[in-house]
Amino acid sequence: MRAIVTVIGRDRVGIIAEVSGALARAGVNILDITQTVLQEYFTMIMLTDISGFEGAFSGLADLLGECGERLGMSVRIQREDIFEAMHRL
Amino acid sequence: MLGIDEILETNEMIDRQHLDIRTVTMGISLRDCAGSGATEAARRIYDKVTRSAEKLVRVCGEIEREFGIPIVNKRVSVTPIAIVAESSGAEDYTVFAESLDRAARELGIDFIGGFSALVHKGFTAGDARLIDSIPRALAGTERVCASVNVATTRAGINMDAVRRMGETVKRAAELTAPSGGFACAKLVVFANAVEDNPFMAGAFHGTGEPELVINVGVSGPGAVKNALRSARGAPFDVVSETIKKTAFRVTRMGQLVAREASLRLGVPFGIVDLSLAPTPAAGDSVAEILEEMGLSSVGAHGTTAALALLNDAVKKGGVMASGHVGGLSGAFIPVSEDAGMIKAARSGVLTIEKLEAMTCVCSVGLDMIAVPGDTPAETIAAIIADEAAIGVVNNKTTAVRIIPAPGKRVGDTVDFGGLLGTAPVIPVSGGESGTFIARGGRMPAPLGSLRN
């Protein structure tokens, strides 16, 4: 199953390291990364494959939520399907 | 891979424009709960509802978490209780409403719909008992919603039922006077009621429906309004296209959630209701969409045309996004539940006459309107008759959910709290309709009903 991780907040050192580290420990494979700075905010989108994560989706969401708290940023994960449904025929 | 702008746009719609799934409603047939003895039938109803919808709230919570989309309400609709209760021998059907209320509390859902009767052509003994029980049943329960269908395009208007519903609405208001007549917020009088409506208070599980079904209602007035900002000053062709695109996206999301819920609950998917349902929250208003089109306030001349365009574009955009479209499908205009409507009603720009005109071109009818507490039952009945006529002649669903707020006068406010919002008390016509309503009988079906 594929999921999108969205990271938004003020830019700082170590964002990718923190998020990708958390994902690696959870067994989540990163398939693609896009990042940009929008209106002074660092914005990163990661396409991930979460089939390697053992446990309920909510566990992964909690894990990334904690990661966001450590960074002082918004970090969330959503299944890719919702974006596909809204933007692809 | 999806574009960063697409992902951010979706999350912006959810975070800032109140885009959500308004309701996942499980329809449950209670036809196998009928039987002799009210206590036994009420027990069967409780058992079946709690067993069938046991996982509803938990599964919706999981879907919310995984997709990151709020599912605001989880609800249940049941077979019209007049049908289920008829063979029980009970005179007062309040016991069945209490059973439904207990089941709703046990499931953790805010409303359960189906304390209902379909009497468009006449009453069975069970229908009459159910209608007599409505005021007590709604006053004595918290989460039960009632509806009565008094007219169809095929059958015409049952004017005896219209008269009784005028009295029923008044009685329900009186029994809940301390809460501003709150029982009336849970009571809908329909013409051309649909069997698969997921929205309260008018949801019931029709007799043509399967054993269990999942129906989903989407929302998103804020997202439509935001999209229209980019089309300021553009001609209506552009306005329509813009709304269609947003409605398509919103409905695709609804379809996705409906499919997931259906799969995980092991219950067939019924329909997605292509709706724009407001809430009292700022930026979640249908009125504000009409104002974004260029009206200074909803209720100004041009409102009916604006609403007609909105309703049409929502359907055109949504219909391709879902395999099965149904329910009420269109824009809702509940006055107390829409910040823009509340403001316009309070200022006097939005009147009951204009609202009636608006119901000719949108989803349902006169919805969540507070009128003075001394409005006679015959006047309420006449308001119902007018709405029923609009529905019957135009082959569409119309409804009346009106609150004659006890002790309140024009200019007062009734606060229902939560999603039901705040209703300014607005005036009704000063003319009398008593002699008209006293006639009773049936208004024949219009010529347009003979389509075979």
Side-chain angles (χ1 to χ4, degrees), chain B residues 55-94:
Chain B
K55 294 192 289 179
L56 178 65
V57 171
R58 178 168 58 76
V59 163
C60 287
E62 287 167 9
I63 294 171
E64 269 185 309
R65 198 82 200 268
E66 290 178 29
F67 294 109
I69 179 84
I71 301 174
V72 180
N73 297 302
K74 281 68 73 175
R75 290 168 171 171
V76 165
S77 64
V78 298
T79 308
I81 290 295
I83 298 170
V84 185
E86 189 151 287
S87 56
S88 72
E91 285 295 323
D92 183 347
Y93 288 178
T94 305

Side-chain angles (χ1 to χ4, degrees), chain A residues 1 4 6 8 32 34-36 38 43 45-47 57-58 61-62 76-89, chain B residues 1-11 13-15 19 62 65-69 248-250 252-253 256 259-260 264 320:
Chain A
M1 188 193 295
I4 302 280
T6 313
I8 300 176
D32 201 349
T34 316
Q35 68 172 71
T36 183
L38 285 173
T43 305
I45 308 288
M46 289 173 155
L47 173 64
F57 189 96
S58 58
D62 288 342
R76 70 162 105 175
I77 183 163
Q78 293 156 279
R79 274 176 55 180
E80 187 191 25
D81 316 40
I82 185 164
F83 304 104
E84 290 278 347
M86 286 182 86
H87 298 285
R88 296 283 182 274
L89 268 180
Chain B
M1 183 181 167
L2 285 148
I4 194 165
D5 50 336
E6 292 171 320
I7 288 162
L8 294 179
E9 185 190 356
T10 296
N11 286 340
M13 284 166 91
I14 295 167
D15 294 344
L19 177 64
E62 287 167 9
R65 198 82 200 268
E66 290 178 29
F67 294 109
I69 179 84
F248 176 79
R249 287 182 185 160
V250 169
R252 285 270 285 193
M253 187 194 66
L256 175 70
R259 199 188 64 212
E260 279 293 323
R264 295 183 193 196
M320 194 177 144

Side-chain angles (χ1 to χ4, degrees), chain A residues 8-70:
Chain A
I8 300 176
R10 211 165 277 283
D11 200 5
R12 53 168 280 183
V13 174
I15 299 170
I16 296 180
E18 176 74 34
V19 178
S20 57
L23 291 172
R25 286 190 293 279
V28 174
N29 187 26
I30 299 168
L31 303 173
D32 201 349
I33 300 180
T34 316
Q35 68 172 71
T36 183
V37 176
L38 285 173
Q39 296 162 350
E40 297 178 27
Y41 280 91
F42 173 86
T43 305
M44 177 170 70
I45 308 288
M46 289 173 155
L47 173 64
T48 64
D49 178 355
I50 62 170
S51 4
F53 179 71
E54 289 172 8
F57 189 96
S58 58
L60 196 52
D62 288 342
L63 205 140
L64 286 164
E66 288 158 17
C67 182
E69 276 173 31
R70 282 197 296 276

Side-chain angles (χ1 to χ4, degrees), chain B residues 149-170:
Chain B
N149 193 56
V150 297
T152 66
T153 298
R154 281 284 184 163
I157 307 173
N158 179 348
M159 289 299 290
D160 293 321
V162 167
R163 186 183 62 226
R164 283 177 86 148
M165 288 317 296
E167 293 159 1
T168 303
V169 167
K170 280 289 282 185

Side-chain angles (χ1 to χ4, degrees), chain B residues 22-211:
Chain B
R22 187 50 51 88
T23 181
V24 172
T25 302
M26 181 185 281
I28 303 173
S29 169
L30 297 182
R31 277 151 64 174
D32 56 348
C33 298
S36 56
T39 313
E40 173 61 13
R43 187 190 61 76
R44 284 191 205 169
I45 288 171
Y46 174 87
D47 288 349
K48 179 148 188 198
V49 170
T50 49
R51 189 176 65 245
S52 305
E54 190 182 10
K55 294 192 289 179
L56 178 65
V57 171
R58 178 168 58 76
V59 163
C60 287
E62 287 167 9
I63 294 171
E64 269 185 309
R65 198 82 200 268
E66 290 178 29
F67 294 109
I69 179 84
I71 301 174
V72 180
N73 297 302
K74 281 68 73 175
R75 290 168 171 171
V76 165
S77 64
V78 298
T79 308
I81 290 295
I83 298 170
V84 185
E86 189 151 287
S87 56
S88 72
E91 285 295 323
D92 183 347
Y93 288 178
T94 305
V95 60
F96 300 104
E98 289 165 351
S99 178
L100 292 172
D101 203 39
R102 276 198 306 278
R105 202 171 309 130
E106 169 71 23
L107 293 171
I109 59 174
D110 64 343
F111 286 121
I112 183 164
F115 197 77
S116 306
L118 310 175
V119 298
H120 34 275
K121 214 163 182 182
F123 309 91
T124 66
D127 294 332
R129 288 188 199 116
L130 182 119
I131 292 172
D132 286 344
S133 307
I134 285 175
R136 273 190 310 280
L138 293 185
T141 58
E142 192 187 351
R143 305 171 195 219
V144 175
C145 294
S147 56
V148 175
N149 193 56
V150 297
T152 66
T153 298
R154 281 284 184 163
I157 307 173
N158 179 348
M159 289 299 290
D160 293 321
V162 167
R163 186 183 62 226
R164 283 177 86 148
M165 288 317 296
E167 293 159 1
T168 303
V169 167
K170 280 289 282 185
R171 184 80 188 120
E174 284 159 12
L175 288 184
T176 49
S179 58
F182 182 66
C184 298
K186 300 183 288 177
L187 173 58
V188 185
V189 187
F190 274 118
N192 290 324
V194 296
E195 298 198 322
D196 52 7
N197 164 25
F199 287 98
M200 298 296 168
F204 63 86
H205 185 73
T207 50
E209 295 287 305
E211 181 72 14

